[in-house]
Amino acid sequence: MNAPHDPQPSTTAFAALLTAEGTALLDAVRDVEPAAELAVATRLRRDHPADLVSAALAQARLRQRAVAKFGAGDAARMFFTPNGVEQSTRTSVATYRAERFKELGVRRIADLCGGIGGDALALARAGIEVLAVDRDPLTCAVARANAAALGLEDLIEVREADVTEVDTTGYDAVFVDPARRGGRGRIFDPEAYSPPLSWAVAAARKAPRAALKIAPGIPHEAVPEEAEAEWISDGGDVKEAVLWFGTDAPGSHRATLLPSRATLCAGRATMLPDPDVRPVGRYLYEPDGAVIRAHLVAEVAARVEGGLVDETIAYVTSDVVRTTPYASAYEITDQLPFNVKKLKALLREREVGVLTVKKRGSAVEPEELRRKVKPRGPGSATVFLTRVAGAPTMLVGHPAP
């Protein structure tokens, strides 16, 4: 939901930001800290319309928030809405997807539900002509301004329209990013997306190539049989899932890790069965979240000659250390039944002051445990709160060399 101090601006207020006066104000408030906003606003309102000053300050806040997704250089030149910052694709992910489209031979694409243009900008930078469609007038105005601000207006046409009424005939591909947030927050039912997933799939099937952006938690049974389902993480955090149509790997599951672009893929018919459960060995592997979402933990286990610590937990254990981009390896020094007092005593004996707490299959919150054990000392350790063969367990170790 939008923060109270970041209301959605009107098209008139946004248009004023594109004037010479608005541009000058944006430059003047670029680095204003939140604590200084009131004083700055009071001073600027002596010479400028109050609404324009408020719009410029709000835009400056949005640009500061957008740095995490778009980088400092682009964020300082682009324009945003509160919804746009919240829902836009991170540039690293949009760039990766645009390059996949380019590798598939796409030269012209219809970007349906284009928003403020995050994906369209990445596609244009890859040399692809883009029709960006959105039904909201303000969002379209912002997308046009962004294309112009980054010098990509020759490659991006922004059209205000209902995406369900747009003829995509003649385009090499379509990209659909349905709205997955409503008035009450995040939407989990794919048929409650706007437009619904079923409509997006039908649109994808009509195009030579297509990609549909979906929530990472989509049930696997909702994935069409002919689609390649890809889960993407960036810096270890799962960002999104994409259903690809028209690739050379239909019916497969793929996990892609950014920024390395390591990718693990297996067909539905060739995916390995769940690994056996085995006693905790010398090493514990924590698969990347994209690997887990793609149900490719078995493929990682095979690479490290490992098995599961529990049939319901995505931790892999092995007696050998193998370098893999798809999982982080830890050397386990201690295995304890869940007991806070025993853990506290162990950490005190080892003089552990820097404690990393990870959990999977445990209701205990890491911060709560950290408060109870009160780590002190020069040493460091990682504790995994999990289940081993069904029993609540603590595994203590450190990143494998």
Side-chain angles (χ1 to χ4, degrees), residues 92 95-97 99-100 103 255-264 326:
S92 56
T95 298
Y96 161 74
R97 183 166 47 238
E99 291 180 1
R100 273 208 77 180
E103 290 167 0
T256 298
L257 285 53
L258 302 178
S260 70
R261 301 202 179 189
T263 187
L264 183 64
Y326 306 113

Side-chain angles (χ1 to χ4, degrees), residues 273-308:
D274 290 341
D276 293 334
V277 175
R278 64 174 65 179
V280 176
R282 183 175 177 182
Y283 298 99
L284 186 76
Y285 291 84
E286 181 183 30
D288 184 272
V291 170
I292 296 172
R293 293 283 194 177
H295 293 184
L296 295 174
V297 173
E299 279 67 20
V300 171
R303 287 170 178 244
V304 302
E305 301 177 33
L308 299 178

Side-chain angles (χ1 to χ4, degrees), residues 94-144:
T95 298
Y96 161 74
R97 183 166 47 238
E99 291 180 1
R100 273 208 77 180
F101 270 121
K102 187 174 182 178
E103 290 167 0
L104 289 169
V106 173
R107 295 294 176 264
R108 297 182 72 233
I109 190 169
D111 177 8
L112 308 181
C113 311
I116 63 168
D119 282 286
L121 296 171
L123 289 161
R125 279 176 165 165
I128 299 173
E129 294 181 31
V130 186
L131 169 65
V133 183
D134 202 283
R135 65 183 178 185
D136 180 65
L138 172 62
T139 301
C140 288
V142 173
R144 290 189 189 98

Side-chain angles (χ1 to χ4, degrees), residues 20-40:
E21 184 179 13
T23 300
L25 271 176
L26 284 171
D27 288 340
V29 302
R30 175 178 299 171
D31 300 317
V32 173
E33 297 291 335
E37 279 191 9
L38 181 58
V40 171

Side-chain angles (χ1 to χ4, degrees), residues 329-331 382 397-401:
Y330 295 83
E331 186 171 7
T382 300
H398 51 78

Side-chain angles (χ1 to χ4, degrees), residues 4-305:
H5 59 279
D6 281 338
Q8 198 84 342
S10 67
T11 52
T12 302
F14 177 72
L17 288 176
L18 304 180
T19 65
E21 184 179 13
T23 300
L25 271 176
L26 284 171
D27 288 340
V29 302
R30 175 178 299 171
D31 300 317
V32 173
E33 297 291 335
E37 279 191 9
L38 181 58
V40 171
T42 301
R43 173 172 56 80
L44 291 175
R45 282 169 181 159
R46 296 170 188 156
D47 302 308
H48 303 280
D51 288 349
L52 182 57
V53 171
S54 296
L57 284 168
Q59 192 62 223
R61 282 194 300 268
L62 292 172
R63 284 177 168 180
Q64 290 165 7
R65 284 169 52 192
V67 168
K69 282 190 174 182
F70 291 90
D74 283 354
R77 293 184 291 164
M78 291 173 64
F79 296 89
F80 301 95
T81 64
N83 287 341
V85 172
E86 180 74 24
Q87 298 177 17
S88 290
T89 304
R90 183 178 293 263
T91 293
S92 56
V93 178
T95 298
Y96 161 74
R97 183 166 47 238
E99 291 180 1
R100 273 208 77 180
F101 270 121
K102 187 174 182 178
E103 290 167 0
L104 289 169
V106 173
R107 295 294 176 264
R108 297 182 72 233
I109 190 169
D111 177 8
L112 308 181
C113 311
I116 63 168
D119 282 286
L121 296 171
L123 289 161
R125 279 176 165 165
I128 299 173
E129 294 181 31
V130 186
L131 169 65
V133 183
D134 202 283
R135 65 183 178 185
D136 180 65
L138 172 62
T139 301
C140 288
V142 173
R144 290 189 189 98
N146 285 334
L150 298 186
L152 297 167
E153 63 267 47
D154 290 344
L155 286 171
I156 300 175
E157 175 195 346
V158 178
R159 184 182 302 175
E160 182 185 331
D162 185 328
V163 296
T164 64
E165 299 175 358
V166 174
D167 182 7
T168 59
T169 303
Y171 288 89
D172 303 325
V174 297
F175 171 61
V176 188
D177 181 6
R180 293 179 301 283
R181 283 183 176 275
R184 296 185 177 181
R186 197 176 299 275
I187 295 171
F188 297 97
D189 177 7
E191 284 307 297
Y193 292 173
S194 181
L197 180 60
S198 57
W199 179 88
V201 169
R205 286 172 171 157
K206 296 175 184 177
R209 303 272 191 275
L212 314 180
K213 181 177 173 181
I214 54 176
I218 185 172
H220 282 221
E221 56 269 23
V223 175
E225 288 187 4
E226 76 270 32
E228 173 195 323
E230 180 179 36
W231 284 262
I232 303 171
S233 68
D234 190 7
D237 295 327
V238 181
K239 295 302 180 184
E240 64 179 57
V242 183
L243 301 182
W244 291 91
F245 293 77
T247 72
D248 60 359
S252 65
H253 286 197
R254 182 185 299 272
T256 298
L257 285 53
L258 302 178
S260 70
R261 301 202 179 189
T263 187
L264 183 64
C265 184
R268 286 196 188 99
T270 59
M271 291 173 68
L272 298 177
D274 290 341
D276 293 334
V277 175
R278 64 174 65 179
V280 176
R282 183 175 177 182
Y283 298 99
L284 186 76
Y285 291 84
E286 181 183 30
D288 184 272
V291 170
I292 296 172
R293 293 283 194 177
H295 293 184
L296 295 174
V297 173
E299 279 67 20
V300 171
R303 287 170 178 244
V304 302
E305 301 177 33

